[in-house]
Amino acid sequence: MKQMTCSKCGNRVFFENLRCEACGSTLGYAPEEQRMLAFDESGEDSWHRLGPEGAAYSPCANRRANVCNWMVPSATGHHLCLSCRTTHTIPALAKAENHGYWAVLEQAKRRLFYTLIELVLPTPNKLEDPVNGLSFEFLEQVSPQEHVLTGHDEGVITLNIAEADDARREYARQLMHEPSRTLLGHFRHEIGHYYWDRLVRCTPWIDEFRSLFGDERADYGAALNIHYSSPDPDWPRRFISAYASSHAWEDWAETWAHYLHMVDGLETAASWGTHLEAASPSGPALKVRPLDLNAESIRDSIAEQWLPVSQFINAMDRSLGAHDSYPFIVVPPVIEKLDFIHRVVRAGSTGRMSMNFLPRS
């Protein structure tokens, strides 16, 4: 993520901020401009922006609930921002803790949308586009008999709100023997299934996809049963995670999530001017650059940029007594898959290949 500044005073601010600590201005993120703006809240229909002039904005209606800090172009007439318009179901707010979970879920989703906007990928919502749109269901498991599973189905992404609870998510991580389990990782994984339908299914990419990830026509339920009963012991040689080895769809979604990790991670490191004098033993110094989204291939960037940066991040985590933020080994077959995803995204976002968006019903 790029560094952000207050549009009024130029002070450094962060993606989640509601107010500038230096000048006291109200802040709101404008996804259409991809920047944080300062506002005077005196206007009723829209807030007066401070700093350079530009389009008029209104706050997302969910700001009143302390859930969102994104802005809505006043000319659109929408009350909810681009991200909040995709949320169909929120947890029951009669429980005080559920409000906090909802806020955390929306915050992670906005970080997801930030990267999707960077990649120039469409994010329609199901209210406006029922056929192709996205819908997020934030559900609570209220009894042991009613299981709420995180997953994707035809553009509907369901998340168990327990994933927004750090303690319960960590318990699940240990129970599942996972090296990492984050809320943002869930969002990035599940959106990968959505974009497989939009970018790969029934397109000229399908043969190359099957050569790299496997045949998605294999029985999904049977594949998961095999994975959980006798996981592939050799998965580290070809996959980014053990779960990726269960089925071609999961391999794509897991690798897609890591592509988004890499895009956002390198942009953040580059935006902060990260310079690694000892990027590799006896190797040259590295000035970190954001991933070139227009590059024909990113193989070299993965090896030369992402791997040293992720190793540095893990080293810092250990220095602070924390778990590795990126406890993964990116082997050559995974680099080929990441490069494939990059080429697919590039072709779709630039219009070189049509996306699977059917006519609205």
Side-chain angles (χ1 to χ4, degrees):
M1 181 171 286
K2 298 182 180 74
Q3 282 202 65
M4 296 182 186
T5 58
C6 171
S7 64
K8 180 184 178 184
C9 71
N11 183 58
R12 176 181 291 153
V13 296
F14 295 91
F15 189 62
E16 294 79 16
N17 285 165
L18 296 171
R19 187 170 300 278
C20 175
E21 297 299 326
C23 69
S25 297
T26 296
L27 297 175
Y29 183 75
E32 295 76 14
E33 300 183 30
Q34 294 180 275
R35 61 183 299 206
M36 190 71 78
L37 300 177
F39 293 91
D40 177 353
E41 301 179 44
S42 59
E44 294 184 4
D45 296 327
S46 62
W47 290 354
H48 174 67
R49 61 189 289 171
L50 305 174
E53 293 185 0
Y57 288 96
S58 301
C60 175
N62 282 337
R63 188 174 184 122
R64 291 194 295 269
N66 292 318
V67 167
C68 184
N69 71 338
W70 276 23
M71 305 299 294
V72 184
S74 300
T76 66
H78 290 301
H79 298 292
L80 294 172
C81 72
L82 178 72
S83 175
C84 288
R85 290 202 298 276
T86 63
T87 300
H88 180 261
T89 303
I90 65 172
L93 299 183
K95 290 186 177 180
E97 64 268 26
N98 284 0
H99 186 281
Y101 296 154
W102 176 33
V104 171
L105 286 159
E106 293 289 1
Q107 180 175 299
K109 178 152 68 73
R110 289 194 298 276
R111 281 191 168 264
L112 167 70
F113 271 58
Y114 172 93
T115 307
L116 298 178
I117 293 169
E118 288 276 290
L119 295 173
V120 197
L121 290 173
T123 56
N125 64 77
K126 279 198 174 294
L127 286 177
E128 297 169 357
D129 187 352
V131 177
N132 307 295
L134 279 164
S135 177
F136 289 84
E137 308 281 333
F138 299 148
L139 305 180
E140 179 183 13
Q141 183 170 317
V142 295
S143 71
Q145 293 75 31
E146 298 178 7
H147 295 288
V148 175
L149 300 178
T150 294
H152 167 268
D153 183 20
E154 298 293 334
V156 178
I157 293 175
T158 301
L159 277 94
N160 188 328
I161 65 169
E163 295 292 340
D165 185 298
D166 291 342
R168 287 194 283 175
R169 191 178 62 253
E170 174 62 14
Y171 175 79
R173 184 191 72 80
Q174 295 188 36
L175 187 67
M176 301 293 288
H177 305 290
E178 296 172 336
S180 176
R181 189 183 183 97
T182 67
L183 193 52
L184 183 54
H186 280 313
F187 276 105
R188 288 173 170 169
H189 174 102
E190 299 304 338
I191 206 76
H193 290 300
Y194 171 78
Y195 284 110
W196 188 88
D197 288 340
R198 304 279 81 81
L199 299 171
V200 179
R201 178 177 53 85
C202 300
T203 72
W205 292 112
I206 195 66
D207 289 336
E208 187 175 358
F209 167 82
R210 288 171 182 163
S211 71
L212 289 169
F213 295 87
D215 193 335
E216 82 289 352
R217 295 168 295 186
D219 185 281
Y220 181 73
L224 287 187
N225 287 336
I226 292 172
H227 168 70
Y228 286 120
S229 62
S230 55
D232 180 1
D234 292 330
W235 69 262
R237 298 173 56 188
R238 295 178 291 125
F239 301 96
I240 192 65
S241 69
Y243 190 53
S245 68
S246 64
H247 189 274
W249 281 335
E250 298 305 341
D251 191 10
W252 163 273
E254 285 284 272
T255 311
W256 173 279
H258 284 263
Y259 178 69
L260 268 57
H261 290 335
M262 182 172 59
V263 169
D264 201 28
L266 285 178
E267 184 184 62
T268 301
S271 180
W272 282 76
T274 303
H275 183 94
L276 301 177
E277 281 292 335
S280 62
S282 304
L286 172 68
K287 179 175 175 56
V288 180
R289 302 186 305 273
L291 196 69
D292 183 357
L293 301 181
N294 292 314
E296 293 288 341
S297 171
I298 59 167
R299 293 184 187 90
D300 291 344
S301 293
I302 296 171
E304 298 169 5
Q305 297 275 329
W306 178 239
L307 297 186
V309 168
S310 63
Q311 291 166 1
F312 168 70
I313 293 169
N314 288 342
M316 284 296 297
D317 287 330
R318 296 174 190 181
S319 295
L320 298 172
H323 294 298
D324 287 0
S325 296
Y326 195 76
F328 302 95
I329 299 175
V330 183
V331 294
V334 173
I335 290 177
E336 292 302 314
K337 295 172 188 177
L338 288 165
D339 189 67
F340 173 77
I341 288 174
H342 170 77
R343 290 185 285 115
V344 169
V345 169
R346 180 170 176 266
S349 64
T350 60
R352 294 186 180 185
M353 191 171 292
S354 298
M355 299 188 195
N356 286 323
F357 282 91
L358 302 174
R360 299 183 187 184
S361 59

